[in-house]
Coordinates of all heavy atoms in Angstrom, one line a residue:
K2 N -15.4 1.9 28.9 CA -15.8 1.5 27.5 C -15.1 2.4 26.5 O -15.0 3.6 26.6 CB -17.3 1.6 27.3 CG -18.1 0.5 27.9 CD -19.5 0.5 27.5 CE -20.2 -0.7 27.9 NZ -21.6 -0.7 27.4
S3 N -14.8 1.7 25.4 CA -14.2 2.4 24.3 C -15.2 3.1 23.5 O -16.3 2.5 23.1 CB -13.4 1.4 23.4 OG -13.0 2.0 22.2
K4 N -15.0 4.3 23.1 CA -16.0 5.1 22.3 C -15.9 4.7 20.9 O -16.9 4.9 20.1 CB -15.7 6.6 22.5 CG -16.0 7.1 23.8 CD -15.8 8.6 23.9 CE -16.0 9.1 25.3 NZ -15.8 10.5 25.5
T5 N -14.8 4.1 20.5 CA -14.7 3.7 19.1 C -15.6 2.5 18.7 O -15.8 2.1 17.6 CB -13.2 3.3 18.7 OG1 -12.8 2.3 19.6 CG2 -12.3 4.5 18.9
K6 N -16.1 1.8 19.8 CA -16.9 0.6 19.5 C -18.2 1.0 18.7 O -18.7 0.2 18.0 CB -17.3 0.0 20.9 CG -18.1 -1.3 20.8 CD -18.3 -1.8 22.2 CE -19.0 -3.2 22.1 NZ -19.3 -3.7 23.4
D7 N -18.6 2.2 18.9 CA -19.8 2.7 18.2 C -19.6 3.2 16.7 O -20.5 3.4 16.0 CB -20.5 3.8 19.0 CG -21.0 3.3 20.3 OD1 -21.3 2.1 20.4 OD2 -20.9 4.1 21.3
L8 N -18.3 3.3 16.4 CA -18.0 3.8 15.0 C -18.2 2.7 14.0 O -17.9 1.5 14.2 CB -16.5 4.2 15.0 CG -16.2 5.5 15.8 CD1 -14.7 5.8 15.7 CD2 -17.0 6.7 15.4
K9 N -18.7 3.0 12.9 CA -18.9 2.1 11.8 C -18.0 2.6 10.6 O -18.2 3.6 10.0 CB -20.3 2.1 11.3 CG -21.2 1.5 12.4 CD -22.7 1.5 11.9 CE -23.5 1.0 13.0 NZ -25.0 1.0 12.7
P10 N -16.9 1.8 10.3 CA -16.0 2.2 9.3 C -16.7 2.2 7.9 O -17.6 1.4 7.6 CB -14.9 1.1 9.3 CG -15.5 0.0 10.0 CD -16.6 0.5 10.9
S11 N -16.4 3.1 7.1 CA -16.9 3.2 5.8 C -15.9 2.7 4.8 O -15.0 3.4 4.4 CB -17.4 4.6 5.4 OG -16.3 5.5 5.5
L12 N -15.9 1.4 4.5 CA -15.0 0.8 3.5 C -15.7 0.5 2.2 O -16.8 0.1 2.2 CB -14.4 -0.5 4.2 CG -13.6 -0.3 5.4 CD1 -13.2 -1.7 5.9 CD2 -12.4 0.5 5.2
R13 N -14.9 0.6 1.2 CA -15.4 0.2 -0.1 C -14.3 -0.6 -0.8 O -13.2 -0.1 -0.9 CB -15.7 1.4 -0.9 CG -16.3 1.1 -2.3 CD -16.6 2.3 -3.1 NE -15.4 3.0 -3.6 CZ -15.2 4.3 -3.7 NH1 -16.2 5.1 -3.4 NH2 -14.1 4.8 -4.1
W14 N -14.6 -1.8 -1.1 CA -13.6 -2.7 -1.8 C -13.6 -2.4 -3.3 O -14.6 -2.4 -3.9 CB -13.9 -4.2 -1.5 CG -13.7 -4.5 -0.1 CD1 -14.7 -4.6 0.8 CD2 -12.5 -4.8 0.6 NE1 -14.2 -4.9 2.1 CE2 -12.8 -5.1 1.9 CE3 -11.2 -4.9 0.2 CZ2 -11.9 -5.4 2.9 CZ3 -10.2 -5.2 1.2 CH2 -10.6 -5.5 2.5
E15 N -12.4 -2.3 -3.9 CA -12.3 -2.1 -5.3 C -11.2 -3.0 -5.9 O -10.2 -3.3 -5.2 CB -11.9 -0.6 -5.6 CG -13.0 0.3 -5.3 CD -12.7 1.7 -5.9 OE1 -12.0 1.8 -6.8 OE2 -13.3 2.7 -5.3
V16 N -11.3 -3.3 -7.1 CA -10.2 -4.0 -7.8 C -9.5 -2.9 -8.7 O -10.2 -2.2 -9.4 CB -10.8 -5.1 -8.7 CG1 -9.6 -5.7 -9.5 CG2 -11.5 -6.2 -7.8
Q17 N -8.2 -2.8 -8.5 CA -7.5 -1.8 -9.2 C -6.2 -2.4 -9.8 O -5.7 -3.4 -9.4 CB -7.0 -0.7 -8.2 CG -8.1 0.2 -7.7 CD -8.6 1.2 -8.6 OE1 -7.8 1.8 -9.4 NE2 -9.8 1.6 -8.5
N18 N -5.7 -1.8 -10.9 CA -4.4 -2.1 -11.5 C -3.4 -1.4 -10.7 O -3.3 -0.2 -10.7 CB -4.4 -1.7 -12.9 CG -3.1 -2.0 -13.6 OD1 -2.1 -2.4 -13.0 ND2 -3.1 -1.9 -14.9

Side-chain angles (χ1 to χ4, degrees):
K2 280 191 171 183
S3 170
K4 292 181 181 181
T5 60
K6 188 175 181 181
D7 298 328
L8 295 178
K9 294 181 181 175
S11 57
L12 297 175
R13 183 179 73 215
W14 294 98
E15 292 193 22
V16 175
Q17 292 279 331
N18 178 348

